[in-house]
Structures are given as C-alpha cells and as structure tokens.
Amino acid sequence: MTIVVIGDDLAEKLARLLNLEAILIEERIFPDGELQPRLQKEKKADQIILILQKRTKENINDYLLKYFLLSRKAKDLAPKVFGIMPYLPYARQDAVFQEGESLSALYVDELIEKNLDVFITCNMHEHRKRIKDLFKIPSHNLFLFKDLAEKFQDFKPEKTVVVGPDREAKTFVDDFCQNFSASKLNFLKQRDAKTGKIIFSHSPLDLNGKEVIIVDDIVSTGGTILEAAKIAHQLKAKTISFAFVHPIFGDQSIDSLRKINPKRIITTNTLENSKYELDIVEPLARFLKKIIQP
Ligand code: R5P
C-alpha cells in the first residue's frame, strides 16, 4: 500500500516525518502566462496522494490554478487525493456585500474540491462561514494558536495579557490561551461608514507594566495589528509582541511590524517567508497521523 506526498519543500519535510515518499514539483511558465506544474517523477499510489504546496511569491490566482492542475493530475494517479493548502485564498470573500457580486469563497472552494477527497487548511478565516459550510467533501481547519503560544512559555502569566484586535479575534485569544495562562482582552474594531476610518474601542483594563501579546489570524498590511499596538502603548503596556498565522505578503508583512520595535514576532510558514518561528509541518504531521494509515 502506498501513500505519496507531492509538492514543495514542506511536502518533502512532511513525507520525512510520516516516512513516506515525496515527489517534488517543477514549475514552468510559458511566455503567454500559462502554467505547467510537472511532477519530477510520475508514480501511481495505490492508496493516497497528498498534495502540500504553499503559496510563494506568485500571484494568488496562479497559485490556485497550479493547485487545480496538480490535483487533477493526482486524480489520475491515486484512488484518493488529499489536498493540503496551508493558506486558503478567497476565504475573506464569504458574503455578497453588494448586489451582483460573486460569493467567491464558495465558488473557489467548489473548484478546489473538484479533484479532492479530503481538504485540509490552517486557520481559515471563518468569519461568517465555517469550513463545513463551504466544502462538500470532508474538510479540516487546523488551529495553530496553541502552537504559537508555546513560543511564549517564558512569559510570566501574571504579567501577560493576550489581546485580540477585533471581535472575531476572540476565538483566537481563547485558542491561544488553552494551555497558556494569561489575562485576555478583546478590542472592538468598527469602520466609520462615512469616512471609512477604523475606530477601536475596548473594555477598561489596566495594561500598565504588562507584557502584551497581540494575536490575529492574518497580517497583510499590518494596519489592524499595529493599530491595536498603538492602543496598548497608550494603555502603558511594558512590551508588545505579535503572534499570527498567515503573513500574507511574506517578509514584507513581518517587516511592517518591526517599526514599533516589538519584543517578539512569531509567525508560521503557511506562506513563504524567511522569518517564521513555527514550522506548520509538525502540527500537520500530528494531524495526518490520526487520519491516514499507511
Ligand atoms: C480581519 O478580519 C483579519 O482577521 C485581519 O485582522 C486582517 O485581515 C488584517 O489585515 P491588515 O494587516 O491589512 O490590517
């Protein structure tokens, strides 16, 4: 019985941890922009092909199309195909905000699942829709905040406050604090309908002299998490750290946070970057051991 992992360097590492064979993907782009992902070796697996491919610097739509081509190819090579997409694109477009818009999160997921039997992602932005509302195949959303919290074990519980920058971040704070004792605080983020300006409010809590850890699922421009840091500063926090899962613009997202001189920045390699501290392959391997039996 064989299970093969196809994809990038993460796939190679995952295969090593699970004692499976890895096949890397070579990529070619034609002058007109057409993509050609190619398995370095074509091999049939009589049980499962696992695909693990993170997004690198390419356009997000190229990433999706490449994944689609790979999953269709894998379908010809194994009876079951499990797709692991560390960051799920389009998940934030989970509602029709204006008449005539596409419900992109659903439509993109319909494409992704077309050639898959199981779908796995990390901290999908379950804002209005949950993963099970979007995928018809078995789907899993792995939460990584507990793993991020392990990188702060040297912080003293009585001196630490874990802060979520908006209402949705409450579940992130709770998840982060599962095995990590600290006080919790949530800011409220509202957008002024007229000016578009983002306004934060919060319940009164003294951050004076505290070590504050601001947690979020996504950092793209860094605007949200930096605004939360500004309030924490005003409330006299002693130090500020950041913990988040997806650095949307890679190193650029992380560098945008350095300007306030945080005590610590912890993020993952769900998207390509050179500064991650949490390698997602280990939690992925732990999870996969529970659902596959080679
Ligand atoms: C919003 O709901 C998300 O959880 C993040 O807070 C947001 O996407 C971060 O974006 P940015 O870094 O551009 O403020």
Side-chain angles (χ1 to χ4, degrees):
M1 300 291 265
T2 47
I3 301 179
V4 173
V5 190
I6 65 170
D8 56 15
D9 56 316
L10 296 189
E12 211 172 16
K13 221 159 168 184
L14 182 70
R16 227 175 14 249
L17 288 181
L18 296 176
N19 219 5
L20 301 171
E21 182 182 358
I23 299 177
L24 290 174
I25 309 294
E26 281 170 5
E27 293 170 21
R28 187 168 167 203
I29 305 175
F30 290 95
D32 61 356
E34 288 182 4
L35 307 167
Q36 178 60 274
R38 180 181 157 270
L39 298 177
Q40 277 186 348
K41 178 170 107 182
E42 181 151 341
K43 178 178 173 169
K44 285 197 183 259
D46 58 15
Q47 205 177 352
I48 303 168
I49 285 188
L50 292 165
I51 309 173
L52 173 53
Q53 182 95 341
K54 67 177 170 307
R55 183 186 163 210
T56 54
K57 288 186 181 65
E58 78 266 63
N59 175 296
I60 202 135
N61 301 314
D62 283 356
Y63 169 76
L64 280 171
L65 188 62
K66 196 170 57 186
Y67 210 97
F68 180 75
L69 295 171
L70 275 177
S71 63
R72 178 62 189 84
K73 174 72 186 173
K75 204 174 156 70
D76 284 343
L77 298 173
K80 280 195 190 309
V81 181
F82 287 19
I84 309 168
M85 201 176 265
Y87 169 72
L88 174 60
Y90 284 86
R92 286 182 286 181
Q93 295 193 43
D94 61 350
V96 172
F97 297 100
Q98 290 187 53
E99 200 184 358
E101 281 179 0
S102 303
L103 181 50
S104 307
L106 177 69
Y107 304 165
V108 167
D109 295 349
E110 282 174 354
L111 263 186
I112 293 173
E113 71 183 353
K114 200 167 159 43
N115 303 311
L116 300 179
D117 298 277
V118 173
F119 179 74
I120 300 162
T121 190
C122 303
N123 280 95
M124 169 200 149
H125 192 78
E126 289 183 316
H127 199 146
R128 285 154 288 255
K129 295 232 173 357
R130 302 189 74 78
I131 195 164
K132 307 273 181 222
D133 300 328
L134 296 168
F135 285 89
K136 286 169 205 76
I137 59 170
S139 53
H140 306 274
N141 190 17
L142 259 62
F143 274 61
L144 299 173
F145 285 110
K146 253 187 350 186
D147 301 272
L148 288 175
E150 280 176 18
K151 308 285 180 189
F152 292 91
Q153 288 306 339
D154 54 323
F155 279 42
K156 292 196 173 64
E158 66 285 2
K159 293 220 161 124
T160 307
V161 183
V162 180
V163 172
D166 52 24
R167 199 190 312 267
E168 294 77 43
K170 185 178 179 313
T171 53
F172 310 155
V173 172
D174 289 340
D175 200 26
F176 190 95
C177 291
Q178 264 186 62
N179 299 329
F180 182 82
S181 30
S183 308
K184 305 182 203 172
L185 177 66
N186 253 89
F187 293 153
L188 288 179
K189 182 171 94 176
Q190 278 168 317
R191 196 177 285 275
D192 185 302
K194 278 195 192 133
T195 63
K197 200 170 175 260
I198 289 174
I199 306 158
F200 284 85
S201 54
H202 54 89
S203 57
L205 189 107
D206 190 9
L207 294 184
N208 198 349
K210 296 285 188 249
E211 306 243 53
V212 168
I213 307 170
I214 304 175
V215 301
D216 209 350
D217 55 349
I218 295 171
V219 168
S220 39
T221 62
T224 303
I225 211 165
L226 281 174
E227 199 53 39
K230 205 156 117 194
I231 299 172
H233 260 310
Q234 284 159 6
L235 295 170
K236 302 209 166 22
K238 183 177 168 207
T239 66
I240 296 191
S241 298
F242 298 114
F244 58 97
V245 179
H246 306 296
I248 297 285
F249 299 127
D251 284 1
Q252 217 182 313
S253 291
I254 301 157
D255 290 340
S256 70
L257 308 180
R258 291 202 191 278
K259 56 181 171 224
I260 67 143
N261 200 16
K263 176 165 176 174
R264 197 168 293 174
I265 302 177
I266 302 290
T267 189
T268 80
N269 51 352
T270 58
L271 294 137
E272 185 171 60
N273 74 87
S274 63
K275 298 168 182 179
Y276 68 90
E277 297 278 344
L278 174 68
D279 185 351
I280 58 161
V281 174
E282 281 169 27
L284 275 173
R286 282 202 303 273
F287 175 74
L288 283 161
K289 274 184 191 154
K290 292 187 213 153
I291 64 165
I292 56 172
Q293 279 116 27

